[in-house]
Amino acid sequence: MCHQTIGLIARHLEEAGIPTVVAGSARDIVEECGVARFVFTDFPLGNPTGKPGDVDMQRAIVGTALDLLERAWLPRTTVQTPFVWDADDNDGWRDHFMRVDDSNRAALAAAGEARRRDQEAAKADGRARTS
């Protein structure tokens, strides 16, 4: 589920009186949605509650979220976790994130073309496409 959708769901729940905390890695998007409480971890997308397999880190981040749920008194409160994604992990994810250059241009173009074909086929078959 995308960060915008999560943010909108959180706002709806808050309006209904249900407190929420969003954990995420896309700070600009989540904060723009105006969520009440946000735990930001500066990791690659898809890893908002820690590195895969790192149970201690995951528990610490979830603990931060629970603490924020209990202690946040001001609206739109963001807490950033202290964790750092090592440069050795994921081949320097920040250096490669959203990079388009001669090394990947053809593969990205082919993937985009395949996605467009799949979307057109889904439309023709009357299937809903959510991503």
Side-chain angles (χ1 to χ4, degrees):
M1 198 173 287
C2 75
H3 286 85
Q4 290 170 322
T5 303
I6 294 294
L8 294 174
I9 291 169
R11 286 182 58 197
H12 178 75
L13 291 171
E14 289 280 340
E15 288 171 6
I18 302 169
T20 63
V21 176
V22 173
S25 301
R27 186 176 197 153
D28 55 341
I29 295 170
V30 176
E31 286 183 339
E32 183 66 27
C33 290
V35 299
R37 294 164 210 84
F38 176 44
V39 174
F40 171 67
T41 303
D42 193 13
F43 280 2
L45 296 178
N47 298 280
T49 55
K51 293 180 183 179
D54 191 334
V55 175
D56 291 336
M57 178 187 291
Q58 294 166 1
R59 284 188 178 135
I61 293 172
V62 170
T64 300
L66 293 172
D67 288 343
L68 181 60
L69 183 63
E70 182 179 44
R71 297 183 182 155
W73 296 104
L74 298 173
R76 300 184 87 167
T77 301
T78 297
V79 171
Q80 181 168 345
T81 65
F83 301 105
V84 176
W85 193 277
D86 300 329
D88 295 338
D89 291 341
N90 240 12
D91 194 28
W93 76 272
R94 193 176 299 284
D95 294 335
H96 301 287
F97 183 71
M98 301 290 286
R99 176 179 283 173
V100 177
D101 60 22
D102 290 338
S103 71
N104 64 2
R105 194 175 319 276
L108 292 171
E113 202 49 49
R115 178 178 164 83
R116 285 186 284 281
R117 280 193 306 274
D118 289 347
Q119 287 174 323
E120 287 302 318
K123 284 181 190 176
D125 293 345
R127 292 180 281 141
R129 182 101 175 156
T130 59
S131 62

